[in-house]
Amino acid sequence: AKKLGRNNFQFYTPAMNEESLERVRIEGALRNALERDEFVLYYQPQLDIKTGKVVGMEALLRWQHPELGMVPPGRFISIAEETGLIVPIGAWVMRTACAQNKAWQDAGFDKLRVAVNLSARQFGAPDLIEGLEAVLKDTGMEPKYLEIELTESLFMSDITPAVDLLHRMKALGVSLSIDDFGTGYSSLSYLSRFPIDVLKIDRSFVADITRDANDEAIVTSIIALAHNLKLAVIAEGVETAEQLDYLRRHGCDEMQGYYFSRPLANAQFEQLLREGRGL
Ligand code: C2E
Ligand code: CA
Ligand code: CA
Ligand code: CA
Protein backbone atom coordinates (compact mmCIF):
# COMPACT_ATOMS: atom_id res chain seq x y z
CA ALA A 1 0.00 0.00 0.00
CA LYS A 2 1.07 3.52 -0.68
CA LYS A 3 2.46 5.37 2.29
CA LEU A 4 0.35 8.33 3.28
CA GLY A 5 1.86 11.62 4.42
CA ARG A 6 1.02 12.93 7.85
CA ASN A 7 -1.39 15.47 6.40
CA ASN A 8 -3.69 12.69 5.33
CA PHE A 9 -4.59 12.07 8.94
CA GLN A 10 -6.06 15.52 9.47
CA PHE A 11 -9.61 14.17 9.39
CA TYR A 12 -9.06 12.30 12.63
CA THR A 13 -8.00 15.16 14.85
CA PRO A 14 -10.09 15.65 18.02
CA ALA A 15 -10.95 19.18 16.85
CA MET A 16 -12.59 17.79 13.73
CA ASN A 17 -14.55 15.28 15.77
CA GLU A 18 -15.86 18.01 17.98
CA GLU A 19 -16.76 20.08 14.96
CA SER A 20 -18.77 17.29 13.35
CA LEU A 21 -20.40 16.50 16.69
CA GLU A 22 -21.50 20.11 17.01
CA ARG A 23 -22.79 19.94 13.44
CA VAL A 24 -24.88 16.89 14.21
CA ARG A 25 -26.20 18.57 17.36
CA ILE A 26 -27.13 21.74 15.45
CA GLU A 27 -28.72 19.79 12.63
CA GLY A 28 -30.90 17.83 15.05
CA ALA A 29 -32.01 20.94 16.92
CA LEU A 30 -32.61 22.79 13.66
CA ARG A 31 -35.17 20.19 12.60
CA ASN A 32 -37.39 21.21 15.52
CA ALA A 33 -36.65 24.92 15.66
CA LEU A 34 -39.54 26.10 13.49
CA GLU A 35 -42.29 24.22 15.32
CA ARG A 36 -40.77 25.22 18.65
CA ASP A 37 -40.91 28.84 17.59
CA GLU A 38 -37.21 29.44 18.27
CA PHE A 39 -36.53 31.79 15.35
CA VAL A 40 -36.74 35.54 15.50
CA LEU A 41 -35.99 38.24 12.95
CA TYR A 42 -33.78 41.23 13.61
CA TYR A 43 -33.93 44.25 11.32
CA GLN A 44 -30.99 46.37 10.27
CA PRO A 45 -31.82 49.88 9.04
CA GLN A 46 -30.82 50.95 5.53
CA LEU A 47 -30.42 54.70 4.97
CA ASP A 48 -30.50 57.04 2.02
CA ILE A 49 -27.06 58.67 2.14
CA LYS A 50 -28.28 61.97 0.60
CA THR A 51 -31.31 62.57 2.82
CA GLY A 52 -29.97 60.71 5.85
CA LYS A 53 -33.33 59.01 6.29
CA VAL A 54 -34.12 55.38 7.03
CA VAL A 55 -35.62 54.00 3.82
CA GLY A 56 -35.52 50.29 4.44
CA MET A 57 -34.35 47.40 6.52
CA GLU A 58 -32.77 44.00 6.02
CA ALA A 59 -34.40 41.09 7.84
CA LEU A 60 -31.74 38.92 9.50
CA LEU A 61 -32.50 35.57 11.05
CA ARG A 62 -31.64 34.74 14.67
CA TRP A 63 -32.06 31.40 16.39
CA GLN A 64 -32.64 31.33 20.12
CA HIS A 65 -32.09 27.75 21.28
CA PRO A 66 -32.91 26.90 24.93
CA GLU A 67 -29.53 25.19 25.51
CA LEU A 68 -27.26 26.42 22.71
CA GLY A 69 -28.31 30.03 23.34
CA MET A 70 -28.40 32.59 20.53
CA VAL A 71 -26.92 30.75 17.55
CA PRO A 72 -25.55 33.14 14.89
CA PRO A 73 -26.50 32.55 11.20
CA GLY A 74 -22.86 31.76 10.44
CA ARG A 75 -23.25 28.58 12.47
CA PHE A 76 -26.55 27.28 11.11
CA ILE A 77 -27.44 28.78 7.71
CA SER A 78 -25.05 26.55 5.76
CA ILE A 79 -26.37 23.48 7.60
CA ALA A 80 -29.94 24.59 6.85
CA GLU A 81 -28.96 24.94 3.20
CA GLU A 82 -27.29 21.55 2.94
CA THR A 83 -30.20 19.75 4.60
CA GLY A 84 -32.86 21.67 2.68
CA LEU A 85 -34.31 22.96 5.96
CA ILE A 86 -33.69 26.46 4.62
CA VAL A 87 -36.75 26.10 2.39
CA PRO A 88 -39.39 26.01 5.18
CA ILE A 89 -37.26 28.32 7.36
CA GLY A 90 -36.91 30.79 4.49
CA ALA A 91 -40.65 30.70 3.89
CA TRP A 92 -41.17 31.58 7.55
CA VAL A 93 -38.67 34.47 7.22
CA MET A 94 -40.46 35.83 4.15
CA ARG A 95 -43.89 35.70 5.78
CA THR A 96 -42.74 37.13 9.11
CA ALA A 97 -40.74 39.97 7.54
CA CYS A 98 -43.63 41.02 5.29
CA ALA A 99 -46.19 40.80 8.11
CA GLN A 100 -44.00 42.89 10.43
CA ASN A 101 -43.23 45.50 7.81
CA LYS A 102 -46.92 45.83 6.95
CA ALA A 103 -47.75 46.15 10.66
CA TRP A 104 -45.29 49.08 10.96
CA GLN A 105 -46.82 50.68 7.87
CA ASP A 106 -50.30 50.25 9.31
CA ALA A 107 -49.16 51.76 12.59
CA GLY A 108 -48.50 54.98 10.66
CA PHE A 109 -44.72 54.98 10.33
CA ASP A 110 -43.19 56.06 7.02
CA LYS A 111 -43.46 53.22 4.56
CA LEU A 112 -40.18 51.36 4.36
CA ARG A 113 -38.81 48.61 2.20
CA VAL A 114 -37.89 45.27 3.70
CA ALA A 115 -35.09 43.20 2.17
CA VAL A 116 -35.19 39.43 2.63
CA ASN A 117 -32.34 37.01 1.87
CA LEU A 118 -33.20 34.19 -0.50
CA SER A 119 -30.98 31.11 -0.57
CA ALA A 120 -30.19 29.11 -3.68
CA ARG A 121 -32.26 26.21 -2.35
CA GLN A 122 -35.35 28.41 -2.10
CA PHE A 123 -34.68 29.80 -5.56
CA GLY A 124 -34.71 26.27 -6.94
CA ALA A 125 -37.85 25.17 -5.07
CA PRO A 126 -40.83 24.46 -7.36
CA ASP A 127 -43.36 26.63 -5.51
CA LEU A 128 -41.23 29.77 -5.10
CA ILE A 129 -43.48 32.08 -7.13
CA GLU A 130 -46.73 30.70 -5.67
CA GLY A 131 -45.27 31.02 -2.18
CA LEU A 132 -44.30 34.65 -2.73
CA GLU A 133 -47.71 35.43 -4.18
CA ALA A 134 -49.43 33.87 -1.19
CA VAL A 135 -47.31 35.83 1.30
CA LEU A 136 -48.03 39.14 -0.46
CA LYS A 137 -51.74 38.39 -0.60
CA ASP A 138 -52.06 37.11 2.98
CA THR A 139 -50.06 39.94 4.56
CA GLY A 140 -51.46 42.68 2.33
CA MET A 141 -47.95 43.97 1.74
CA GLU A 142 -47.56 46.08 -1.40
CA PRO A 143 -44.97 44.21 -3.49
CA LYS A 144 -42.93 47.34 -4.19
CA TYR A 145 -41.86 47.36 -0.54
CA LEU A 146 -40.38 43.88 -0.76
CA GLU A 147 -36.81 43.51 -1.94
CA ILE A 148 -35.34 40.08 -2.45
CA GLU A 149 -31.60 39.64 -1.96
CA LEU A 150 -29.98 37.08 -4.22
CA THR A 151 -26.36 36.02 -4.45
CA GLU A 152 -24.30 35.54 -7.57
CA SER A 153 -24.06 31.80 -6.86
CA LEU A 154 -27.59 31.48 -8.23
CA PHE A 155 -26.38 32.42 -11.67
CA MET A 156 -23.37 30.16 -11.87
CA SER A 157 -24.97 27.10 -13.42
CA ASP A 158 -27.42 27.08 -16.28
CA ILE A 159 -28.70 30.62 -16.42
CA THR A 160 -31.73 30.29 -18.68
CA PRO A 161 -34.11 28.98 -15.98
CA ALA A 162 -32.73 31.64 -13.65
CA VAL A 163 -33.57 34.46 -16.07
CA ASP A 164 -37.10 33.14 -16.43
CA LEU A 165 -37.59 32.88 -12.66
CA LEU A 166 -36.25 36.38 -12.07
CA HIS A 167 -38.69 37.78 -14.61
CA ARG A 168 -41.54 35.97 -12.89
CA MET A 169 -40.45 37.39 -9.55
CA LYS A 170 -40.22 40.88 -11.04
CA ALA A 171 -43.69 40.44 -12.53
CA LEU A 172 -45.02 40.20 -8.97
CA GLY A 173 -43.82 43.78 -8.47
CA VAL A 174 -41.00 43.10 -6.01
CA SER A 175 -37.47 44.41 -6.46
CA LEU A 176 -34.33 42.32 -6.72
CA SER A 177 -30.86 42.98 -5.42
CA ILE A 178 -27.53 41.22 -5.76
CA ASP A 179 -26.04 40.62 -2.32
CA ASP A 180 -22.30 40.46 -1.61
CA PHE A 181 -21.68 41.86 -5.07
CA GLY A 182 -18.17 41.26 -6.36
CA THR A 183 -17.40 38.23 -4.20
CA GLY A 184 -18.87 35.58 -6.52
CA TYR A 185 -17.39 33.93 -9.56
CA SER A 186 -20.04 34.66 -12.13
CA SER A 187 -19.48 36.86 -15.15
CA LEU A 188 -20.78 40.40 -15.33
CA SER A 189 -22.81 39.65 -18.43
CA TYR A 190 -25.81 38.56 -16.35
CA LEU A 191 -26.25 42.14 -15.14
CA SER A 192 -27.46 43.29 -18.53
CA ARG A 193 -29.75 40.30 -19.01
CA PHE A 194 -31.29 40.00 -15.56
CA PRO A 195 -33.98 42.32 -14.21
CA ILE A 196 -31.93 43.47 -11.22
CA ASP A 197 -32.64 46.72 -9.35
CA VAL A 198 -29.92 47.03 -6.75
CA LEU A 199 -26.28 46.05 -6.20
CA LYS A 200 -25.10 45.55 -2.62
CA ILE A 201 -21.39 46.17 -2.22
CA ASP A 202 -19.95 43.46 0.01
CA ARG A 203 -18.61 44.62 3.32
CA SER A 204 -15.20 43.08 2.65
CA PHE A 205 -14.64 45.89 0.12
CA VAL A 206 -16.13 48.59 2.33
CA ALA A 207 -13.96 47.65 5.31
CA ASP A 208 -10.74 49.05 3.83
CA ILE A 209 -11.92 51.80 1.48
CA THR A 210 -10.19 54.50 3.45
CA ARG A 211 -6.90 52.56 3.65
CA ASP A 212 -6.55 50.33 0.60
CA ALA A 213 -6.30 51.80 -2.91
CA ASN A 214 -7.45 48.54 -4.49
CA ASP A 215 -10.63 48.39 -2.43
CA GLU A 216 -11.23 52.06 -3.22
CA ALA A 217 -10.95 51.27 -6.92
CA ILE A 218 -13.34 48.33 -6.60
CA VAL A 219 -15.94 50.30 -4.67
CA THR A 220 -15.88 53.32 -6.99
CA SER A 221 -16.06 50.97 -9.99
CA ILE A 222 -19.08 49.13 -8.58
CA ILE A 223 -20.85 52.45 -7.94
CA ALA A 224 -20.12 53.60 -11.50
CA LEU A 225 -21.14 50.24 -12.96
CA ALA A 226 -24.42 50.27 -11.04
CA HIS A 227 -25.26 53.81 -12.09
CA ASN A 228 -24.35 53.19 -15.73
CA LEU A 229 -26.75 50.25 -15.69
CA LYS A 230 -29.39 52.43 -13.95
CA LEU A 231 -29.22 50.37 -10.78
CA ALA A 232 -29.19 51.64 -7.23
CA VAL A 233 -26.19 50.79 -5.09
CA ILE A 234 -26.04 50.14 -1.37
CA ALA A 235 -22.92 49.64 0.73
CA GLU A 236 -23.09 47.17 3.60
CA GLY A 237 -20.85 46.89 6.62
CA VAL A 238 -20.30 50.64 6.98
CA GLU A 239 -18.67 51.04 10.38
CA THR A 240 -17.00 54.47 10.41
CA ALA A 241 -17.70 58.10 9.59
CA GLU A 242 -14.73 58.01 7.19
CA GLN A 243 -16.25 55.14 5.22
CA LEU A 244 -19.59 56.89 5.07
CA ASP A 245 -17.94 60.11 3.95
CA TYR A 246 -16.07 58.29 1.21
CA LEU A 247 -19.27 56.61 -0.01
CA ARG A 248 -21.14 59.91 0.07
CA ARG A 249 -18.45 61.66 -1.97
CA HIS A 250 -18.56 58.87 -4.53
CA GLY A 251 -22.31 58.93 -4.96
CA CYS A 252 -23.28 55.67 -3.28
CA ASP A 253 -27.07 55.74 -2.81
CA GLU A 254 -27.62 53.88 0.45
CA MET A 255 -25.76 52.51 3.43
CA GLN A 256 -26.24 49.83 6.04
CA GLY A 257 -23.88 49.07 8.89
CA TYR A 258 -22.88 49.30 12.53
CA TYR A 259 -21.94 52.97 12.09
CA PHE A 260 -25.63 53.78 12.18
CA SER A 261 -27.09 50.66 13.76
CA ARG A 262 -26.68 46.96 14.35
CA PRO A 263 -29.57 44.66 13.45
CA LEU A 264 -32.35 45.37 15.97
CA ALA A 265 -35.10 43.35 17.63
CA ASN A 266 -38.68 44.47 16.84
CA ALA A 267 -39.06 46.73 19.86
CA GLN A 268 -35.74 48.52 19.25
CA PHE A 269 -36.46 49.00 15.57
CA GLU A 270 -39.83 50.46 16.42
CA GLN A 271 -38.18 52.78 18.93
CA LEU A 272 -35.87 54.00 16.16
CA LEU A 273 -38.86 54.69 13.91
CA ARG A 274 -40.64 56.54 16.69
CA GLU A 275 -37.63 58.76 17.34
CA GLY A 276 -37.25 59.39 13.61
CA ARG A 277 -33.51 59.12 13.97
CA GLY A 278 -31.37 59.32 10.81
CA LEU A 279 -27.79 59.96 9.69
P1 C2E B 1 -25.59 39.04 4.69
O1 C2E B 1 -26.86 38.81 3.96
O2 C2E B 1 -24.43 39.56 3.93
O3 C2E B 1 -25.99 40.00 5.90
C1 C2E B 1 -25.17 41.02 6.40
C2 C2E B 1 -24.41 40.55 7.61
O4 C2E B 1 -23.48 41.55 7.98
C3 C2E B 1 -25.30 40.34 8.84
O5 C2E B 1 -24.74 39.27 9.59
C4 C2E B 1 -25.14 41.65 9.58
O6 C2E B 1 -25.42 41.57 10.96
C5 C2E B 1 -23.69 41.93 9.33
N1 C2E B 1 -23.37 43.34 9.42
C6 C2E B 1 -24.16 44.41 9.16
N2 C2E B 1 -23.51 45.58 9.34
C7 C2E B 1 -22.25 45.24 9.71
C8 C2E B 1 -21.09 46.04 10.05
O7 C2E B 1 -21.08 47.27 10.02
N3 C2E B 1 -19.97 45.34 10.37
C9 C2E B 1 -19.93 43.99 10.41
N4 C2E B 1 -18.80 43.40 10.78
N5 C2E B 1 -21.02 43.21 10.10
C10 C2E B 1 -22.16 43.85 9.76
P2 C2E B 1 -25.63 38.12 10.20
O8 C2E B 1 -26.94 38.67 10.65
O9 C2E B 1 -24.78 37.37 11.16
O10 C2E B 1 -25.93 37.20 8.95
C11 C2E B 1 -24.89 36.51 8.31
C12 C2E B 1 -25.37 35.91 7.01
O11 C2E B 1 -26.34 34.89 7.26
C13 C2E B 1 -26.07 36.90 6.10
O12 C2E B 1 -25.11 37.67 5.42
C14 C2E B 1 -26.83 35.96 5.20
O13 C2E B 1 -26.00 35.43 4.20
C15 C2E B 1 -27.21 34.86 6.16
N6 C2E B 1 -28.60 35.10 6.62
C16 C2E B 1 -29.07 35.84 7.65
N7 C2E B 1 -30.42 35.76 7.71
C17 C2E B 1 -30.82 34.99 6.67
C18 C2E B 1 -32.09 34.53 6.16
O14 C2E B 1 -33.17 34.87 6.68
N8 C2E B 1 -32.07 33.70 5.07
C19 C2E B 1 -30.91 33.32 4.46
N9 C2E B 1 -30.98 32.51 3.39
N10 C2E B 1 -29.71 33.74 4.90
C20 C2E B 1 -29.66 34.56 5.97
CA1 CA C 1 -28.11 40.03 2.69
CA1 CA D 1 -24.41 40.89 2.15
CA1 CA E 1 -21.82 39.05 3.41
Side-chain angles (χ1 to χ4, degrees):
K2 206 177 170 207
K3 237 184 160 186
L4 298 172
R6 59 193 300 172
N7 286 341
N8 294 71
F9 292 97
Q10 66 188 2
F11 279 122
Y12 308 107
T13 65
M16 274 306 267
N17 270 333
E18 225 156 84
E19 209 176 290
S20 46
L21 245 177
E22 148 143 337
R23 233 198 101 90
V24 170
R25 207 178 292 134
I26 287 183
E27 189 181 321
L30 206 50
R31 293 194 182 279
N32 301 313
L34 261 185
E35 63 191 42
R36 293 186 185 161
D37 213 14
E38 292 169 356
F39 290 117
V40 60
L41 292 184
Y42 273 44
Y43 298 94
Q44 187 174 35
Q46 301 178 322
L47 294 98
D48 182 313
I49 293 179
K50 274 207 192 84
T51 65
K53 282 189 174 165
V54 177
V55 288
M57 67 195 87
E58 178 176 3
L60 292 159
L61 187 58
R62 299 289 179 263
W63 178 21
Q64 180 65 60
H65 186 269
E67 281 128 43
L68 301 169
M70 193 69 110
V71 191
R75 272 175 67 201
F76 71 87
I77 291 283
S78 64
I79 298 174
E81 274 167 356
E82 286 156 30
T83 55
L85 287 166
I86 194 70
V87 176
I89 295 171
W92 177 86
V93 170
M94 187 66 72
R95 185 167 290 267
T96 306
C98 289
Q100 183 59 67
N101 192 54
K102 177 73 162 98
W104 280 324
Q105 294 189 357
D106 289 348
F109 296 112
D110 286 348
K111 291 191 175 187
L112 305 176
R113 210 182 48 216
V114 62
V116 175
N117 293 285
L118 196 83
S119 94
R121 286 295 280 264
Q122 290 173 274
F123 191 70
D127 57 351
L128 170 70
I129 303 295
E130 290 76 7
L132 282 172
E133 245 168 355
V135 166
L136 291 169
K137 183 163 167 279
D138 296 348
T139 61
M141 214 295 281
E142 288 172 81
K144 66 174 176 184
Y145 294 110
L146 175 61
E147 183 169 292
I148 297 180
E149 296 196 1
L150 311 158
T151 55
E152 290 166 288
S153 62
L154 292 186
F155 314 134
M156 274 170 62
S157 49
D158 190 2
I159 74 161
T160 317
V163 179
D164 179 57
L165 259 180
L166 293 177
H167 281 286
R168 291 172 64 199
M169 285 166 89
K170 276 298 291 178
L172 297 173
V174 305
S175 60
L176 304 176
S177 72
I178 304 291
D179 202 0
D180 305 337
F181 184 74
T183 62
Y185 296 101
S186 63
S187 85
L188 288 178
S189 65
Y190 71 83
L191 283 178
S192 61
R193 274 177 290 166
F194 290 4
I196 300 299
D197 305 283
V198 182
L199 296 186
K200 280 192 93 169
I201 306 175
D202 190 66
R203 74 179 145 87
S204 59
F205 301 124
V206 175
D208 287 326
I209 39 175
T210 53
R211 278 171 300 179
D212 181 325
N214 289 330
D215 284 343
E216 269 183 31
I218 290 171
V219 167
T220 48
S221 302
I222 294 175
I223 294 170
L225 174 70
H227 288 164
N228 286 331
L229 291 167
K230 310 255 183 310
L231 309 177
V233 59
I234 174 165
E236 67 177 9
V238 179
E239 294 185 350
T240 69
E242 290 72 29
Q243 289 165 352
L244 174 61
D245 183 56
Y246 184 92
L247 293 162
R248 182 181 280 126
R249 281 188 286 113
H250 289 85
C252 185
D253 303 297
E254 293 179 19
M255 68 79 76
Q256 172 183 348
Y258 295 172
Y259 173 71
F260 181 74
S261 170
R262 290 185 174 251
L264 304 170
N266 278 3
Q268 277 80 45
F269 195 90
E270 201 171 309
Q271 179 67 19
L272 180 99
L273 295 180
R274 208 174 289 118
E275 290 167 359
R277 210 152 59 75
L279 280 175

